[in-house]
Amino acid sequence: GEALENGSYHANAGMSYGDLLAPPPSYADSVMYAQPEIQPARDVGANAVGGTTTTVYLDGDDGAGDEETLQIWVSDPKIEADTSAALVGKRVTHYKITTRTTIPSYIHKEVVVWRRFRDFVALDARLSALHRGYFIPPRPEKTVVSSTGDNFIAERAIQLQHYLNRIASHSKLRLGDPLRIFLTHQDLASSLDWFNMTAGRVITTIPSDLPSSPETPQRPPIAVASPGQPRDFGRFFKELRQTVVQSTAVSAVGGVLGLDTPKPKVMEEDAAFLVEKDRVVRMENELSGMSSKATKLLTLQQKFGEAVGEFGLECLKFAKIQEEEGTRLGKYSENGLECMTAANEMRKAGNTSIKVSRVSRAATAQTAQSLEPLHDYLKIMPSVRRSISDRNESLLTLQTMLAEADRLEARIAKLTPDFTKMKKVEDLKLELDATRATGEQAKVDYKIIQDRHREEFARLEKERVAQFHAMLLNYSRVQVANAERSLSLWRGLAEEFGASADEWRTPEPEKSGEADETTL
């Protein structure tokens, strides 16, 4: 189209809506407001993808004083040949991770390392194995499409930086060994500490408590797998049997038949946990519905902006036709002047519609950005469910091992008087020792998860309240800026067409106490 001095456009034949909107919107049309960040502080990195990084203050909410800080940048992604792959020619993306910190456990206060995506997957696995009971922030998902496209890599870098910042903002995870080693060790593959963090490799050795003698030699130490290790088949079927025995259906059948079904020695009796678990489930369901409505809102807002823009384009096309008709009739003839005036008015309406469309497009993008905390909260829910599952698993293991120990003790007591069963008794004692050791490990793990859950549910709710407050504030600001800018454009057009400024008298706002409330 042909741009005029006043910023309006003529529409040429064959122009599309996309062609007309190709020029970027002006600052006044598109910048709605300066959105405040939810994070405590932001710095701009020259090479950081997205241009932002997060400063996490460990002992406070601002940068005052001598608080310990942790700054993380993800930048400069580069594609290189994968030297560790058997497939020749495979290429992977490495991301530059820059860390600056004042945390004492970090020997070097500024470190630069390079990581590929599978290193982030390994970090997530170690956090889940060593910090059971905490709500681990979700890492970005793997992709089945090409991972070497420029747009994908740029978006992935932003996601990875957000993931690391979420971990760094957690009061416990940011001080743990997995994050420290990930951020500071140049070669993770050669780090023994990193290797030993893998779930199932760390074991606890518990010596036998029976004295050795010529008749009864001391039994070998018992290796108990760390929490989070996959269960062997024997333990799996024992826990499955315990689940069946404790089921409501079995108890009901036993009651009908007059049978005494054994009750577990340990039950989940933390009323506060049960209430929190139920509340989180209900809140997730409600917020899932809110998320779907937010998506619908953004879709309709985007369609509205497109529709207004398309209407503006049609106005410009019609103005072009009227202008040609006025030229044909003669610019200085009565009919020609009327056509040219009508064309000018139609052009003004079209250009105003285009500007409103641009404002609406900017508002749609910023509305989506303002509602991000809602989706971030929903993304943490799988981690919450996984943590609750870890707790249930530890409790089931403890219940199973206690029941199994009772069964083994009963068998040992029954077989001990029979001297011909001495070998069998010794084998049962070995099994009893292993069962008790596994039960003690499960008891410790269960207690740790209990304590962590008391902290985590309180932390999660506190963060949700603060983030949702900021979310609603930002959302309101976007709507106000969008409405005011659109109102200014439409009001200016109406006044050009002869409307009086007295028509725009703003009524006094109703007080909140006097406003009618709608009951759902």
XYZ file of all heavy atoms in Angstrom, residues 378-421:
350
model
N 0.030 -25.014 37.230
C -0.480 -26.306 36.770
C 0.659 -27.239 36.367
O 0.563 -28.459 36.528
C -1.442 -26.108 35.598
C -2.802 -25.495 35.961
C -3.599 -25.202 34.698
C -3.582 -26.428 36.875
N 1.763 -26.667 35.846
C 2.891 -27.499 35.433
C 3.578 -28.165 36.626
O 4.221 -29.213 36.465
C 3.904 -26.650 34.655
C 3.426 -26.235 33.282
C 4.449 -25.327 32.603
C 3.947 -24.829 31.255
N 4.912 -23.888 30.616
N 3.481 -27.564 37.819
C 4.125 -28.149 38.997
C 3.296 -29.276 39.586
O 3.800 -30.064 40.401
C 4.374 -27.055 40.071
C 5.434 -27.510 41.090
C 3.097 -26.708 40.801
C 6.804 -27.644 40.551
N 2.030 -29.406 39.172
C 1.147 -30.413 39.760
C 1.632 -31.849 39.551
O 1.517 -32.674 40.471
C -0.273 -30.248 39.215
C -1.019 -29.045 39.758
S -1.279 -29.154 41.549
C -0.026 -28.006 42.132
N 2.166 -32.222 38.385
C 2.709 -33.585 38.275
C 3.809 -33.872 39.292
O 3.906 -34.988 39.796
C 3.246 -33.636 36.834
C 2.415 -32.647 36.097
C 2.160 -31.536 37.080
N 4.635 -32.868 39.613
C 5.670 -33.052 40.630
C 5.051 -33.250 42.005
O 5.555 -34.038 42.816
C 6.612 -31.842 40.648
O 7.285 -31.700 39.424
N 3.958 -32.535 42.282
C 3.262 -32.712 43.561
C 2.702 -34.118 43.655
O 2.843 -34.799 44.682
C 2.146 -31.656 43.712
C 1.354 -31.894 44.987
C 2.741 -30.253 43.701
N 2.074 -34.582 42.584
C 1.511 -35.942 42.596
C 2.608 -36.983 42.724
O 2.432 -38.001 43.414
C 0.690 -36.175 41.322
C -0.597 -35.363 41.269
C -1.515 -35.893 40.187
N -0.931 -35.738 38.871
C -1.082 -34.680 38.098
N -1.811 -33.660 38.522
N -0.533 -34.611 36.899
N 3.737 -36.746 42.065
C 4.850 -37.701 42.168
C 5.393 -37.747 43.585
O 5.724 -38.821 44.101
C 5.956 -37.313 41.186
C 7.147 -38.266 41.184
C 8.123 -37.932 40.087
N 8.651 -36.578 40.236
C 9.443 -35.996 39.336
N 9.760 -36.636 38.226
N 9.906 -34.775 39.546
N 5.470 -36.594 44.237
C 5.945 -36.544 45.616
C 4.983 -37.269 46.558
O 5.406 -37.996 47.462
C 6.120 -35.090 46.046
O 6.590 -35.007 47.371
N 3.682 -37.093 46.335
C 2.685 -37.805 47.135
C 2.786 -39.307 46.882
O 2.668 -40.123 47.803
C 1.279 -37.289 46.806
C 1.130 -35.840 47.278
C 0.207 -38.163 47.449
C -0.185 -35.190 46.887
N 3.038 -39.691 45.636
C 3.205 -41.104 45.311
C 4.431 -41.690 46.005
O 4.406 -42.836 46.485
C 3.325 -41.272 43.785
O 3.563 -42.621 43.441
N 5.526 -40.908 46.085
C 6.718 -41.359 46.811
C 6.392 -41.607 48.284
O 6.868 -42.580 48.883
C 7.830 -40.322 46.699
C 8.429 -40.260 45.304
O 8.245 -41.215 44.547
O 9.076 -39.232 44.982
N 5.593 -40.733 48.852
C 5.200 -40.895 50.257
C 4.360 -42.154 50.444
O 4.589 -42.933 51.384
C 4.419 -39.661 50.709
C 3.901 -39.729 52.149
C 3.367 -38.393 52.573
N 2.833 -38.393 53.930
C 2.696 -37.326 54.688
N 3.057 -36.148 54.215
N 2.198 -37.401 55.909
N 3.398 -42.359 49.552
C 2.567 -43.567 49.641
C 3.395 -44.826 49.441
O 3.158 -45.852 50.095
C 1.451 -43.502 48.604
C 0.458 -42.383 48.876
O 0.313 -41.939 50.018
N -0.227 -41.919 47.845
N 4.377 -44.741 48.549
C 5.238 -45.897 48.296
C 6.080 -46.237 49.520
O 6.223 -47.416 49.890
C 6.136 -45.603 47.097
C 7.115 -46.725 46.775
C 8.073 -46.329 45.671
O 7.626 -45.686 44.705
O 9.275 -46.656 45.783
N 6.631 -45.208 50.171
C 7.426 -45.452 51.379
C 6.566 -46.032 52.494
O 6.991 -46.945 53.222
C 8.075 -44.149 51.853
O 9.039 -43.713 50.931
N 5.343 -45.527 52.630
C 4.435 -46.054 53.652
C 4.067 -47.500 53.363
O 4.041 -48.340 54.277
C 3.177 -45.187 53.724
C 2.100 -45.641 54.724
C 2.666 -45.686 56.139
C 0.875 -44.735 54.647
N 3.794 -47.813 52.102
C 3.457 -49.192 51.741
C 4.633 -50.126 52.000
O 4.450 -51.252 52.504
C 3.046 -49.258 50.269
C 2.748 -50.658 49.713
C 1.588 -51.305 50.474
C 2.449 -50.595 48.218
N 5.845 -49.680 51.680
C 7.031 -50.498 51.948
C 7.179 -50.751 53.443
O 7.465 -51.886 53.868
C 8.287 -49.812 51.399
O 8.166 -49.637 49.988
C 9.529 -50.649 51.686
N 6.988 -49.708 54.244
C 7.073 -49.868 55.696
C 6.016 -50.839 56.207
O 6.316 -51.731 57.017
C 6.910 -48.497 56.367
C 6.902 -48.479 57.898
C 8.182 -49.096 58.458
C 6.721 -47.058 58.412
N 4.787 -50.699 55.747
C 3.715 -51.612 56.161
C 4.026 -53.049 55.746
O 3.822 -53.996 56.524
C 2.390 -51.165 55.547
C 1.873 -49.838 56.069
C 0.697 -49.323 55.260
O 0.524 -49.672 54.092
N -0.113 -48.473 55.878
N 4.531 -53.201 54.526
C 4.843 -54.544 54.018
C 5.959 -55.186 54.823
O 5.884 -56.365 55.193
C 5.237 -54.465 52.543
O 4.169 -53.873 51.796
C 5.540 -55.843 51.980
N 7.025 -54.423 55.111
C 8.158 -54.983 55.832
C 7.790 -55.326 57.284
O 8.259 -56.329 57.830
C 9.327 -53.998 55.808
C 9.919 -53.757 54.423
S 10.517 -55.268 53.590
C 9.201 -55.521 52.368
N 6.935 -54.523 57.902
C 6.492 -54.842 59.268
C 5.661 -56.127 59.281
O 5.839 -56.982 60.160
C 5.689 -53.675 59.845
C 6.465 -52.392 60.149
C 5.526 -51.290 60.622
C 7.548 -52.651 61.203
N 4.766 -56.251 58.325
C 3.949 -57.465 58.251
C 4.811 -58.677 57.917
O 4.619 -59.769 58.476
C 2.854 -57.280 57.202
N 5.776 -58.486 57.019
C 6.657 -59.588 56.640
C 7.552 -59.989 57.810
O 7.836 -61.190 58.006
C 7.506 -59.164 55.435
C 8.375 -60.266 54.852
C 7.580 -61.365 54.177
O 6.366 -61.202 53.991
O 8.192 -62.387 53.817
N 8.008 -59.022 58.602
C 8.824 -59.346 59.775
C 8.026 -60.166 60.785
O 8.548 -61.124 61.373
C 9.342 -58.058 60.424
N 6.777 -59.812 60.995
C 5.926 -60.598 61.905
C 5.770 -62.025 61.394
O 5.819 -62.992 62.181
C 4.551 -59.935 62.039
C 4.611 -58.641 62.834
O 5.636 -58.420 63.529
O 3.656 -57.847 62.758
N 5.584 -62.172 60.097
C 5.427 -63.512 59.523
C 6.703 -64.332 59.686
O 6.653 -65.520 60.045
C 5.054 -63.390 58.045
C 4.742 -64.714 57.365
C 4.520 -64.509 55.881
N 5.750 -64.149 55.207
C 6.669 -65.033 54.800
N 6.505 -66.328 55.025
N 7.748 -64.626 54.168
N 7.866 -63.694 59.434
C 9.129 -64.410 59.560
C 9.421 -64.780 61.015
O 9.912 -65.895 61.302
C 10.267 -63.557 58.995
C 10.253 -63.350 57.472
C 11.317 -62.344 57.064
C 10.460 -64.672 56.744
N 9.130 -63.888 61.939
C 9.337 -64.187 63.358
C 8.482 -65.369 63.800
O 8.928 -66.230 64.578
C 9.020 -62.948 64.196
C 10.064 -61.845 64.077
C 9.644 -60.586 64.823
O 8.476 -60.541 65.297
O 10.459 -59.650 64.932
N 7.257 -65.413 63.302
C 6.376 -66.538 63.644
C 6.920 -67.852 63.092
O 6.911 -68.887 63.788
C 4.973 -66.268 63.113
N 7.436 -67.842 61.886
C 7.992 -69.061 61.290
C 9.259 -69.501 62.021
O 9.476 -70.690 62.256
C 8.301 -68.829 59.813
C 7.077 -68.735 58.914
C 7.461 -68.900 57.474
N 8.005 -70.238 57.231
C 8.594 -70.617 56.095
N 8.751 -69.736 55.122
N 9.062 -71.844 55.949
N 10.110 -68.517 62.378
C 11.342 -68.856 63.104
C 11.006 -69.474 64.457
O 11.604 -70.474 64.879
C 12.213 -67.598 63.262
C 12.777 -67.166 61.904
C 13.360 -67.850 64.241
C 13.496 -65.834 61.927
N 10.039 -68.890 65.151
C 9.632 -69.434 66.457
C 9.076 -70.845 66.317
O 9.289 -71.700 67.191
C 8.588 -68.520 67.088
N 8.412 -71.101 65.223
C 7.825 -72.426 65.015
C 8.880 -73.474 64.658
O 8.799 -74.639 65.085
C 6.775 -72.334 63.905
C 6.067 -73.648 63.613
C 5.022 -73.462 62.531
C 4.315 -74.777 62.218
N 3.290 -74.605 61.144
N 9.913 -73.080 63.914
C 10.905 -74.045 63.436
C 12.100 -74.203 64.374
O 12.842 -75.185 64.269
C 11.418 -73.615 62.054
C 10.383 -73.591 60.921
C 11.037 -73.085 59.645
C 9.785 -74.981 60.695
N 12.329 -73.257 65.282
C 13.514 -73.293 66.141
C 13.614 -74.574 66.971
O 14.715 -75.154 67.095
C 13.550 -72.060 67.060
O 13.647 -70.888 66.236
C 14.728 -72.120 67.999
N 12.542 -75.093 67.581
C 12.669 -76.331 68.392
C 13.117 -77.551 67.587
O 13.626 -78.517 68.157
C 11.256 -76.527 68.942
C 10.643 -75.169 68.931
C 11.186 -74.526 67.705
N 12.931 -77.516 66.284
C 13.280 -78.665 65.441
C 14.734 -78.507 64.987
O 15.055 -77.654 64.166
C 12.335 -78.723 64.249
C 12.513 -79.999 63.434
O 13.495 -80.737 63.679
O 11.673 -80.241 62.544
N 15.646 -79.352 65.531
C 17.071 -79.246 65.204
C 17.347 -79.544 63.734
O 18.374 -79.139 63.194
C 17.881 -80.200 66.097
C 17.915 -79.772 67.538
C 17.099 -80.381 68.482
C 18.751 -78.738 67.956
C 17.122 -79.983 69.799
C 18.764 -78.337 69.273
C 17.946 -78.957 70.215
N 16.475 -80.270 63.095
C 16.686 -80.586 61.676
C 16.416 -79.372 60.775
O 16.717 -79.415 59.583
C 15.771 -81.742 61.255
O 14.398 -81.340 61.387
C 16.017 -82.977 62.101
N 15.858 -78.309 61.344
C 15.516 -77.128 60.558
C 16.480 -75.962 60.812
O 16.153 -74.810 60.526
C 14.090 -76.678 60.896
C 13.014 -77.730 60.676
C 12.853 -78.052 59.187
C 11.684 -79.017 58.984
N 11.510 -79.340 57.532
